[in-house]
Short mmCIF file of all heavy atoms in Angstrom, two decimals:
data_model
loop_
_atom_site.label_atom_id
_atom_site.label_comp_id
_atom_site.label_asym_id
_atom_site.label_seq_id
_atom_site.Cartn_x
_atom_site.Cartn_y
_atom_site.Cartn_z
N PHE Q 1 21.38 7.78 4.67
CA PHE Q 1 21.59 9.23 4.75
C PHE Q 1 22.74 9.67 3.84
O PHE Q 1 22.61 10.60 3.06
CB PHE Q 1 21.88 9.64 6.20
CG PHE Q 1 21.89 11.12 6.42
CD1 PHE Q 1 20.72 11.80 6.70
CD2 PHE Q 1 23.06 11.85 6.34
CE1 PHE Q 1 20.70 13.18 6.89
CE2 PHE Q 1 23.07 13.23 6.54
CZ PHE Q 1 21.88 13.89 6.81
N ASP Q 2 23.86 8.97 3.92
CA ASP Q 2 25.04 9.34 3.13
C ASP Q 2 24.80 9.18 1.63
O ASP Q 2 25.33 9.95 0.84
CB ASP Q 2 26.26 8.52 3.54
CG ASP Q 2 26.80 8.91 4.91
OD1 ASP Q 2 26.29 9.90 5.50
OD2 ASP Q 2 27.72 8.22 5.39
N HIS Q 3 24.01 8.19 1.24
CA HIS Q 3 23.74 7.95 -0.18
C HIS Q 3 22.51 8.70 -0.69
O HIS Q 3 22.20 8.62 -1.88
CB HIS Q 3 23.58 6.46 -0.45
CG HIS Q 3 24.84 5.70 -0.22
ND1 HIS Q 3 24.86 4.38 0.13
CD2 HIS Q 3 26.15 6.07 -0.27
CE1 HIS Q 3 26.10 3.97 0.27
NE2 HIS Q 3 26.90 4.99 0.04
N GLY Q 4 21.81 9.37 0.21
CA GLY Q 4 20.62 10.12 -0.20
C GLY Q 4 19.45 9.23 -0.55
O GLY Q 4 18.61 9.59 -1.37
N ASP Q 5 19.38 8.08 0.08
CA ASP Q 5 18.29 7.14 -0.18
C ASP Q 5 17.11 7.47 0.73
O ASP Q 5 16.92 6.86 1.79
CB ASP Q 5 18.76 5.70 0.02
CG ASP Q 5 17.77 4.70 -0.54
OD1 ASP Q 5 16.57 5.05 -0.69
OD2 ASP Q 5 18.18 3.56 -0.82
N VAL Q 6 16.34 8.44 0.30
CA VAL Q 6 15.23 8.95 1.10
C VAL Q 6 14.18 7.87 1.35
O VAL Q 6 13.61 7.78 2.45
CB VAL Q 6 14.61 10.20 0.43
CG1 VAL Q 6 13.34 10.64 1.15
CG2 VAL Q 6 15.64 11.33 0.39
N ASP Q 7 13.91 7.04 0.35
CA ASP Q 7 12.91 5.99 0.53
C ASP Q 7 13.29 5.06 1.69
O ASP Q 7 12.45 4.71 2.51
CB ASP Q 7 12.73 5.19 -0.76
CG ASP Q 7 12.13 6.03 -1.88
OD1 ASP Q 7 11.45 7.04 -1.60
OD2 ASP Q 7 12.36 5.68 -3.06
N ASP Q 8 14.56 4.68 1.77
CA ASP Q 8 15.01 3.84 2.88
C ASP Q 8 14.96 4.60 4.21
O ASP Q 8 14.59 4.03 5.23
CB ASP Q 8 16.44 3.34 2.65
CG ASP Q 8 16.49 2.13 1.72
OD1 ASP Q 8 15.41 1.63 1.33
OD2 ASP Q 8 17.61 1.69 1.39
N LEU Q 9 15.34 5.88 4.19
CA LEU Q 9 15.27 6.69 5.42
C LEU Q 9 13.85 6.74 5.95
O LEU Q 9 13.63 6.59 7.15
CB LEU Q 9 15.77 8.11 5.15
CG LEU Q 9 17.26 8.34 5.19
CD1 LEU Q 9 17.60 9.75 4.72
CD2 LEU Q 9 17.82 8.09 6.58
N ILE Q 10 12.91 6.96 5.07
CA ILE Q 10 11.50 7.03 5.48
C ILE Q 10 11.09 5.73 6.18
O ILE Q 10 10.49 5.74 7.25
CB ILE Q 10 10.59 7.33 4.27
CG1 ILE Q 10 10.81 8.78 3.81
CG2 ILE Q 10 9.12 7.07 4.61
CD1 ILE Q 10 10.17 9.11 2.49
N GLU Q 11 11.47 4.61 5.58
CA GLU Q 11 11.12 3.31 6.16
C GLU Q 11 11.82 3.08 7.50
O GLU Q 11 11.20 2.64 8.48
CB GLU Q 11 11.51 2.20 5.18
CG GLU Q 11 11.15 0.82 5.65
CD GLU Q 11 11.55 -0.25 4.65
OE1 GLU Q 11 11.48 0.00 3.44
OE2 GLU Q 11 11.96 -1.33 5.10
N LEU Q 12 13.12 3.37 7.57
CA LEU Q 12 13.88 3.17 8.80
C LEU Q 12 13.36 4.05 9.94
O LEU Q 12 13.23 3.60 11.08
CB LEU Q 12 15.37 3.45 8.56
CG LEU Q 12 16.10 2.43 7.69
CD1 LEU Q 12 17.43 3.01 7.20
CD2 LEU Q 12 16.33 1.13 8.46
N LEU Q 13 13.08 5.30 9.63
CA LEU Q 13 12.60 6.22 10.66
C LEU Q 13 11.19 5.88 11.11
O LEU Q 13 10.84 6.03 12.28
CB LEU Q 13 12.68 7.66 10.16
CG LEU Q 13 14.10 8.18 9.93
CD1 LEU Q 13 14.07 9.55 9.25
CD2 LEU Q 13 14.88 8.23 11.23
N ASP Q 14 10.38 5.42 10.17
CA ASP Q 14 9.00 5.05 10.49
C ASP Q 14 8.96 3.95 11.54
O ASP Q 14 8.08 3.94 12.42
CB ASP Q 14 8.26 4.62 9.23
CG ASP Q 14 6.78 4.40 9.49
OD1 ASP Q 14 6.12 5.33 9.97
OD2 ASP Q 14 6.30 3.27 9.22
N ARG Q 15 9.93 3.04 11.51
CA ARG Q 15 10.00 1.96 12.50
C ARG Q 15 10.17 2.52 13.92
O ARG Q 15 9.82 1.87 14.89
CB ARG Q 15 11.18 1.03 12.20
CG ARG Q 15 11.03 0.24 10.95
CD ARG Q 15 12.25 -0.63 10.73
NE ARG Q 15 12.30 -1.11 9.37
CZ ARG Q 15 13.37 -1.62 8.81
NH1 ARG Q 15 14.49 -1.72 9.48
NH2 ARG Q 15 13.32 -2.03 7.56
N ARG Q 16 10.72 3.72 14.02
CA ARG Q 16 10.94 4.37 15.33
C ARG Q 16 9.88 5.43 15.60
O ARG Q 16 10.00 6.19 16.55
CB ARG Q 16 12.32 5.00 15.38
CG ARG Q 16 13.40 3.95 15.41
CD ARG Q 16 14.73 4.52 15.82
NE ARG Q 16 15.58 3.45 16.27
CZ ARG Q 16 15.66 3.02 17.54
NH1 ARG Q 16 14.98 3.62 18.47
NH2 ARG Q 16 16.44 2.02 17.85
N GLY Q 17 8.88 5.52 14.74
CA GLY Q 17 7.83 6.50 14.94
C GLY Q 17 8.26 7.92 14.58
O GLY Q 17 7.66 8.89 15.04
N LEU Q 18 9.30 8.03 13.74
CA LEU Q 18 9.83 9.34 13.33
C LEU Q 18 9.54 9.56 11.85
O LEU Q 18 9.35 8.61 11.10
CB LEU Q 18 11.33 9.40 13.60
CG LEU Q 18 11.73 9.22 15.07
CD1 LEU Q 18 13.23 9.01 15.19
CD2 LEU Q 18 11.29 10.41 15.89
N LYS Q 19 9.55 10.81 11.44
CA LYS Q 19 9.24 11.18 10.06
C LYS Q 19 10.43 11.87 9.40
O LYS Q 19 11.10 12.70 10.03
CB LYS Q 19 8.03 12.12 10.01
CG LYS Q 19 6.78 11.54 10.60
CD LYS Q 19 6.25 10.41 9.75
CE LYS Q 19 4.99 9.82 10.36
NZ LYS Q 19 4.73 8.49 9.88
N TRP Q 20 10.67 11.57 8.14
CA TRP Q 20 11.67 12.27 7.36
C TRP Q 20 11.09 13.61 6.95
O TRP Q 20 10.01 13.68 6.37
CB TRP Q 20 12.06 11.46 6.13
CG TRP Q 20 13.01 12.20 5.24
CD1 TRP Q 20 12.75 12.67 3.99
CD2 TRP Q 20 14.36 12.57 5.54
NE1 TRP Q 20 13.85 13.31 3.50
CE2 TRP Q 20 14.86 13.26 4.42
CE3 TRP Q 20 15.19 12.40 6.63
CZ2 TRP Q 20 16.14 13.78 4.38
CZ3 TRP Q 20 16.47 12.90 6.59
CH2 TRP Q 20 16.93 13.58 5.47
N THR Q 21 11.78 14.70 7.27
CA THR Q 21 11.27 16.04 6.98
C THR Q 21 12.12 16.75 5.94
O THR Q 21 11.93 17.93 5.69
CB THR Q 21 11.26 16.88 8.27
OG1 THR Q 21 12.57 16.88 8.85
CG2 THR Q 21 10.25 16.33 9.27
N GLY Q 22 13.04 16.03 5.34
CA GLY Q 22 13.94 16.63 4.36
C GLY Q 22 13.39 16.52 2.96
O GLY Q 22 12.20 16.32 2.73
N MET Q 23 14.31 16.63 2.03
CA MET Q 23 13.96 16.63 0.62
C MET Q 23 13.46 15.27 0.14
O MET Q 23 13.60 14.27 0.83
CB MET Q 23 15.15 17.09 -0.21
CG MET Q 23 16.37 16.21 -0.09
SD MET Q 23 17.82 16.88 -0.93
CE MET Q 23 18.14 18.35 -0.02
N SER Q 24 12.92 15.28 -1.05
CA SER Q 24 12.41 14.05 -1.65
C SER Q 24 13.57 13.23 -2.21
O SER Q 24 14.70 13.70 -2.32
CB SER Q 24 11.45 14.39 -2.80
OG SER Q 24 12.18 14.96 -3.88
N GLN Q 25 13.26 12.00 -2.61
CA GLN Q 25 14.25 11.13 -3.22
C GLN Q 25 14.84 11.78 -4.47
O GLN Q 25 16.05 11.79 -4.67
CB GLN Q 25 13.60 9.78 -3.59
CG GLN Q 25 14.55 8.80 -4.25
CD GLN Q 25 15.58 8.25 -3.29
OE1 GLN Q 25 15.26 7.87 -2.17
NE2 GLN Q 25 16.81 8.20 -3.70
N GLU Q 26 13.99 12.37 -5.27
CA GLU Q 26 14.45 13.01 -6.52
C GLU Q 26 15.38 14.19 -6.24
O GLU Q 26 16.40 14.36 -6.91
CB GLU Q 26 13.25 13.46 -7.37
CG GLU Q 26 12.41 12.31 -7.90
CD GLU Q 26 11.48 11.71 -6.84
OE1 GLU Q 26 11.15 12.37 -5.83
OE2 GLU Q 26 11.10 10.53 -7.02
N GLU Q 27 15.01 15.01 -5.26
CA GLU Q 27 15.86 16.15 -4.91
C GLU Q 27 17.21 15.70 -4.37
O GLU Q 27 18.25 16.28 -4.70
CB GLU Q 27 15.16 17.03 -3.86
CG GLU Q 27 13.95 17.75 -4.39
CD GLU Q 27 13.12 18.36 -3.28
OE1 GLU Q 27 12.93 17.75 -2.22
OE2 GLU Q 27 12.65 19.52 -3.49
N ALA Q 28 17.22 14.64 -3.56
CA ALA Q 28 18.47 14.13 -3.01
C ALA Q 28 19.37 13.59 -4.11
O ALA Q 28 20.59 13.76 -4.09
CB ALA Q 28 18.18 13.05 -1.97
N GLU Q 29 18.78 12.94 -5.11
CA GLU Q 29 19.57 12.40 -6.22
C GLU Q 29 20.18 13.50 -7.06
O GLU Q 29 21.22 13.31 -7.69
CB GLU Q 29 18.69 11.49 -7.07
CG GLU Q 29 18.32 10.19 -6.39
CD GLU Q 29 17.28 9.39 -7.14
OE1 GLU Q 29 16.79 9.85 -8.20
OE2 GLU Q 29 16.93 8.30 -6.65
N ASP Q 30 19.54 14.67 -7.09
CA ASP Q 30 20.03 15.78 -7.90
C ASP Q 30 21.12 16.61 -7.22
O ASP Q 30 21.70 17.50 -7.85
CB ASP Q 30 18.87 16.72 -8.28
CG ASP Q 30 17.94 16.10 -9.31
OD1 ASP Q 30 18.36 15.14 -9.98
OD2 ASP Q 30 16.79 16.58 -9.41
N LEU Q 31 21.40 16.33 -5.95
CA LEU Q 31 22.42 17.11 -5.24
C LEU Q 31 23.79 16.93 -5.89
O LEU Q 31 24.17 15.83 -6.27
CB LEU Q 31 22.53 16.66 -3.78
CG LEU Q 31 21.42 17.11 -2.85
CD1 LEU Q 31 21.64 16.51 -1.47
CD2 LEU Q 31 21.37 18.62 -2.74
#
């Protein structure tokens, strides 16, 4: 979350049956 690694967030949340609803990896990198 702190580093904006959306791909990892998606994987971590998926293990708990949750979905990432925020920006894409590219958008997070551009912040």
